[in-house]
Amino acid sequence: MNYSKSVTNMEKNFFSKADPFQKSSKYESKSRMVLPPPNITGKLHIGHALNAFVQDLKVRYERSFNNNKISWIPGTDHAGIATQIMVEKLLLESNIKKEDLGREKFLEKVWEWKEKYQDNIYDQLKKLGLELDWDQAKFTMDEDVQEAVSEAFCKFYKSGLIFKDNRIVHWDTKMQTAISDLEVRNEEVTGYMYYIKYYFENSLSEDSPKNTTEEPISENFVTVATTRPETMFGDKAIAVNPNDERYKNLIGRSAYIPMTDIKIPIISDERCDMEKGSGAVKITPAHDFLDFEIGKDHDLEVQNIIDKYGKLSGDSVPKSLQNIDRLEARKKIIKELKDKELLVKEEKIKHIIPHGDRSGSILEPMATKQWFLDMDSMASEAKEDIQNIAVFPQNYIKIFNHWMNNIQPWCISRQIWWGHQIPVWYFDDNHIYDLEKYNSYKKHGTNYLTSDYGQINKDNEQFSKNANLNHEFLNQVNFEKRFIVAKDIESARKIAKDIGIKNDSLTQETDVLDTWFSSALWPLVNSKEINSIFTNSLNQELNQKSTQELSKGLDPKNEEYPNECIITGSDILFFWVARMIMFCKFFSKKIPFKQIYLHGLVQDSFGKKMSKSKNNAMDPLDIIAEEGIDVLRYALLSSSVPGKNVKFGKQNIEKSRHFCIKIWNVFKFIKSNCSELFDVNIHTPENMEDNLKSGESSQTHDSQEIKKQNIPQEESSYNLPENLHPWNSFIVLKISDIRKTILDFISEWKIHEASNEIYKLIWEDFCSLYIEGCKSMLNSEHSMETKIVITESFKELIRILNPFMPVLSTEIFSLMENINPQTKAYNSNLTNKPCNTSCSFDSILDSILKKKSQKENQENETLIKSKTLDYIKEITEITDSIRYCKGVLGIENSIIYHVNIKQDHVGENIIQGSKSHLESNVEKDEVFYNIIEKLSGFKIHPSKEPKNDMTPYPLQQGVLYINFLDKDLNKLKNKIKKEKEKSYQDLSDAERKIENKQFIENAPTEIKEEIKERIAKLKQIVDNFDKVELMWSK
RNA sequence: GAGUGUAUAGCUCAGCGGUAGAGCACCACAUUGACAUUGUGGGGGUCACAGGUUCAAAUCCUGUUAUACUCACCA
C-alpha cells in the first residue's frame, strides 16, 4: 500500500484512536497556552494553519521531551467590524438593512451567524489534527468575558486612563464608525493637487469673489494647495510659516473661502511647511489631523462639514453641494472653480491615502466624540516588561519599543452594534429627583476629581472627610458630561439612586469597544483567575491596597498564568501582543507569557500576499484533502523561519510529500524485514509461538538467535550482545546526537533547522546509509541484533518525528509500539540483575556507552564514539570513492567490478580498527566488506597484493585498486588531476595559516587542532595522489 | 521622512566569525530492489558593492546601491 493511498486511513486512525505517544500521564509541570482566536468571519487560511502547527509542535514537543503538559485553549474572536460587515452583506441579499431590524434584532442575526461560523472554524481546526483542549474553548463575547471586559473598562476609567473627548479620528464612512490608527491601511494612489485662489478681503470689490471676472493677480489672492478641495467649507484659517518671506505681509489679513462669502484669517504657524504646495495651507480643524492641532492652538472652531456617511453638509456648504458625497462633490467643486478661474493649476501626484483595513473605503479624518484609552503609562511599563520576555526573533523587541515610543491614545469606541457595549450610562438633568443631593455630589465630585477623566485626586482631603456622602463611587460619575461608568445596569442604578437620579432614565452608551480591547485580555480571561481579578472590585478604589489584593488572587504556583508562550504572526505584534502585555500586566501585575514566538506571513510563491481577489490563496483544507495533514504541516514548519514571511508553493509541498513517502516506505521495508519482531506484538502466547515459527521459516539462514528465541525458558528473549556491531552502534549514537540537536533547535524556536535535521537524519543517515548497509547485516550472524536496532532506532526516529508529522508518526508508532523484544541487555551481566524490561532505544544507547557500569567515565564514552565513527568513516570513504569513480566513468551495475583494498596500507588499518570495535564478538569482519559491496555495487576482495589489471585510486589513508575493465580512464585521470591540484591548494592554504605567528598566538586551540588535523589529512591525500599518479603514468 | 529587515547556485531559501549548504531545476549513469513519489554521481557561487575591525569575514562594524515591510505623511 503506497503512502498516498494509506493517508486517508492513517488520518482516520489518528482521529479515532488514542495517541500512543500520550500513554504516560504524569508530567512534571503543567502550563497553558492560548490559540490566537480566529475571527468568526469565515474560513481558516493557510496562515492559520502555520500558526496552529507551530503551536501544536510546541505542545507535542513539551509533552514528549520536557515532561510539560501544555493545556492549549482554542477560541474564536467576535471581530466586531469584520463580522458586522459580513452579516450586513448577508442581510442585504434578502434586501434587509440593519436599520430595518433595529439593534436588538440585528444582534440576534449576528449571534446566529456566530453559532454557524464558530462551528465552521472549530471543524476546520479539528481537521488540522491539533491537540487543543476543546473543553475550555472560549468566545470573546462569552458572558464571563463580557463581564471581565466591562470590569476592565471600569477599572481603566477609575484609574484615569479612559476619557471621552471630541478629537479627530479616522472615520470610516462605509461603516460609519471611528477606527483606530492600527486599522488604517495606507495605500499609494494617484491623485491631484489643486492650487486654489483665496481672495483677500480688502482686495475685493463689493461683489463676492464668485462674481469676479477680472484676471486674478497675486496682490489680490493667495494660492492654497490641497488634495481635498471639498473640505474647504470647513476651513477656519489659512496658515503660513512665520519665516516665509513670501507671505510675511499676509499674516493678520483675511481671505474668502472660494464659492462662499466666508471670511477666514491668515495666521502664522511654524508647523506650516514652506516647501509643500504653495507654502500657504488651508486649515480645516475638523477634517485634518495636523489642522486639528493647529486649530486648537489658534482657538479655531472645529466645524464638521462632512457627515457620517461622507456627504457634505453644514451651513457653510453651498446648497448645490449639500448632501453630496465628498468625492462626487470634489469633481463638482473643481469644475466650478475652473469655470470661475479660481483654479490656478492641478498637478498629478502620487500620494498615500488612508483606507479602512476592513471596509476598504477611503477614510475621512473627522472630529467626533470618542472614548480613548491613554497608553503612555502602560507603554513605558511594557518597554520594561518586554526585556523579561524571551522574544523570538529578538529583533522584534526593537520594533516593539519603537512603536511604544510613539504611542498615541487608543480610540477604543466604535459606532457599530456588534461588540462589547461600552459600560457607560447617561442621564440628563430632567431626571434628577433630588436636586439638593445631586448638587452636593456634583460639587464634591467635581472637587474630588482632577478632571472629568475619573482619576481620583488623592490630595483632596476635604472631600474624603465628608462622611455624609458616599464618595466611593464618585470616580465613576461624570457630572459635566452626565454619565456613570459601571460594570452593569444594576451597579449604575445603584449609583444613580445615590446621587439623586431616577434610575429608569439611564441609557447605555451605544458605542461598542474595539475588538482588540477584549483580545488584549485573552490570556487572563482564559485562566481560572479571571474571577479573582475581575469581580467584586467595582466598589473599591483602585489604589495600592486593592492592587495587592488583585495580585493575591494570583497563585504564584499557578500553572495557567502566566502562559507558557504566545505564538502568533508578526503582523499582529502591535494589534495584539503588545496590548496583551499592557492590559494583562495592568490587571494582574504579571507579564502574561514567558515567551513570544512570531512567525511570518504565508505568501504565494512569488512573494505576494495571498488573497481571494488575486486568486492565489491556498486553502489549507484543500491541500490536506489532496496530500494529507502531515504533508502540509511539514511543508509549513520546515519553511518557516522566525519572523520571516514564507514563500509557499508547490515546491514546499513536494519536498514534504517526498519525505512522507520516504518514511512510509522505509517503514514498509522494516516491517517486512523484521517481521518476526512485529509478530511479537500479538500478545497471545499461541500466536507468538506460531509467529516465531513462521519467522524462523522465513529466514533463509539458520541463525543461532532464532534458535535461542525458541528456547521456552527464555520466554523468547534475546540477549543483545555485550558489544554491538559498530554498524549498529553507529546509528544509535547518530540518532542520539542529532536528537539533541533537534530538541535544542526546537527549544530555540529554530523550527526550520530542526525540520532540516530530522530530514537529513532520516533520509541520509538512516535510509541511505544505515538501512542500505543493513541489507547485508540482515543476512549475517548479526541479523537479530540488527533487527532489534533497526526497529528501536526507527521507533525513536518516529518519536522525534511526532511533533513534525503527528499522523504518520502515530500510525507507525502504534503499529510498532508493542515491539518490545524481551531482551536482556548485556549489562545485566555487569549489574548481575536480569534486565528483562523491554529493550528501548535509550537502554541500547546506554549499553553501547556502557553507562550502567559505574567504572566507566566520560573519556570512555568519547572513545567508544570515536571508534565507532572511525569504522563508519572508513566505510563511507571507500564507498564514496567507488561511487565517485562509477559516476565519472558511467559504470553499469550489471557487470561485476572488483575492488582490492591493499591490506598492507589501507586494509590493515581498517581491519584492525574494526576488530577493536567488534572485540571478541566477531572473528573476522566480513560485514565490513559486505556493507561496502552493498553500498557501492562493487565486489570487494581484501588481499595483500592487488592484481595487475587493477587501477589504483587514492584514498585518504591508502589506495584502492579497482578493476575498471575496459573503461576509458582519461576522464577519471583528469578528475584526479584536478582533485590533486585542489588538495595541494588546500594544503598550502592551511600550511600558510599555521605558519602565521599571529594565528598561532590568537586562534583558539580547537581551531589550531582542526587545522593541524586537516594538514595531516591533506598530506596523506596529496601523498597518495602522487603515488597513484606515478603508478598511473607507468 | 523615521524605523526594521533582506541581498548567498538558474529558482526558493538555510547558514551569520574558522574548508560555501539544502530542496527544486540541469547533465550523466543505474533499473523494478521499501521507495520512478527512486538510487548514485556531476556541473554550477568574488556569498550586492566599497571601506574597516580581526590572525581569520558570506558571517561583525561603517558607507553605498537595490529591494521588502512597518510607522508617519491627504497643504
Side-chain angles (χ1 to χ4, degrees), chain A residues 148-209:
Chain A
V149 167
S150 289
E151 191 69 43
F153 184 95
C154 293
K155 280 188 176 170
F156 275 137
Y157 182 80
K158 286 194 280 182
S159 26
L161 294 177
I162 282 180
F163 57 92
K164 189 182 184 183
D165 201 4
N166 187 34
R167 290 195 177 197
I168 192 155
V169 292
H170 284 291
W171 185 267
D172 190 321
T173 54
K174 200 168 169 186
M175 292 305 298
Q176 294 105 45
T177 179
I179 60 172
S180 77
D181 301 346
L182 277 179
E183 288 161 288
V184 177
R185 200 179 59 224
N186 288 313
E187 276 177 19
E188 193 177 62
V189 295
T190 316
Y192 290 91
M193 179 86 86
Y194 303 100
Y195 289 76
I196 302 166
K197 297 172 189 172
Y198 279 54
Y199 276 87
F200 302 130
E201 178 191 20
N202 46 11
S203 73
L204 296 168
S205 61
E206 295 292 299
D207 298 327
S208 69

Side-chain angles (χ1 to χ4, degrees), chain A residues 983-1001:
Chain A
S983 298
Y984 266 108
Q985 187 60 47
D986 289 349
L987 180 62
S988 70
D989 285 353
E991 279 176 337
R992 207 165 346 117
K993 213 168 191 179
I994 206 89
E995 281 158 16
N996 186 337
K997 266 184 196 169
Q998 278 164 315
F999 175 79
I1000 297 295
E1001 280 163 24

